[in-house]
Amino acid sequence: MATLIVSMSVSLDGRIAGPDGSIDWAAPDRELMGFHNEQTRELTGHLTGRGLYESMLGWETAEQTRTDPLELEFARIWKPLPKVVFSSSLTSVQGNARLASRDVADEAEELRSRPGGGIVSVGGAGLAAALAEKDLIDEYRLFVNPVVLGGGTPYFPPLPKHLDLELLETRTFSQVVYLRYRRSR
């Protein structure tokens, strides 16, 4: 069975976006971009909300708009990755993506149960919150940035019960600390 993860940058006060929705404080340096490439290479699928899907569309044409080798490597990894997009307003999607036809729990379970296991990532605050509320996330991967936003979108939504986690890995990148937790069963 595949592992379902949420992997996002987070501020010291637990936010993934500021009060105005900005995430410019989370831009990775070269070392961190290389690590993101490594992690993305391990993925076997990606569940995404409309907002993140639209912001990631630029990677579909990165060869025409970018020159950085690490960014081009990310695009080569990202483009073929199967994606399921959750949206009530989109009627079509591009690249190796399809619109979700069922609820988030059913789509997640289908990707998780495919033969061969692997890692399926969840992108987008609302989508991650919906799966966390249903206790379907296996791992939480936080990239803690040295910034306090004072408000905005929280990494963790309000949950119906507390969540016990086990620390699996830590790593420090110049100013960012990576924390990887597994849900305790």
Side-chain angles (χ1 to χ4, degrees):
M1 179 172 271
T3 300
L4 192 62
I5 68 165
V6 172
S7 180
M8 293 187 212
S9 292
V10 61
S11 66
L12 282 174
D13 57 343
R15 307 297 175 160
I16 59 172
D20 61 355
S22 69
I23 58 169
D24 58 346
W25 50 271
D29 62 14
R30 294 195 62 71
E31 180 187 22
L32 192 50
M33 186 68 192
F35 186 70
H36 285 312
N37 287 354
E38 289 173 29
Q39 287 201 321
T40 305
R41 194 174 281 112
E42 297 175 353
L43 299 179
T44 56
H46 182 73
L47 302 171
T48 184
R50 181 201 49 79
L52 182 61
Y53 163 76
E54 289 178 339
S55 71
M56 297 296 285
L57 277 176
W59 294 106
E60 296 294 324
T61 57
E63 296 83 7
Q64 291 90 41
T65 59
R66 298 176 187 258
T67 59
D68 181 271
L70 284 173
E71 291 179 352
L72 292 171
E73 177 186 1
F74 178 80
R76 283 189 296 273
I77 300 164
W78 180 255
K79 285 172 57 172
L81 182 67
K83 299 162 200 79
V84 179
V85 181
F86 291 84
S87 173
S88 59
S89 59
L90 294 176
T91 57
S92 65
V93 291
Q94 301 172 28
N96 193 18
R98 69 172 175 83
L99 284 169
S101 57
R102 295 170 294 167
D103 78 7
V104 64
D106 289 340
E107 291 283 1
E109 286 303 321
E110 178 191 320
L111 281 176
R112 290 177 77 199
S113 64
R114 288 187 180 163
I119 299 172
V120 175
S121 67
V122 177
L127 190 59
L131 288 164
E133 288 167 0
K134 295 178 184 297
D135 200 23
L136 293 175
I137 305 295
D138 298 306
E139 287 187 13
Y140 293 91
R141 299 178 181 190
L142 295 82
F143 292 86
V144 183
N145 286 255
V147 61
V148 175
L149 300 175
T153 307
Y155 184 95
F156 288 99
L159 297 172
K161 62 180 183 170
H162 76 274
L163 185 61
D164 291 321
L165 301 171
E166 172 188 356
L167 181 63
L168 296 177
E169 182 181 359
T170 63
R171 186 165 170 181
T172 302
F173 301 89
S174 65
Q175 294 292 311
V176 174
V177 176
Y178 170 66
L179 303 169
R180 179 179 163 214
Y181 291 95
R182 175 176 50 213
R183 191 172 43 147
S184 297
R185 297 280 180 192

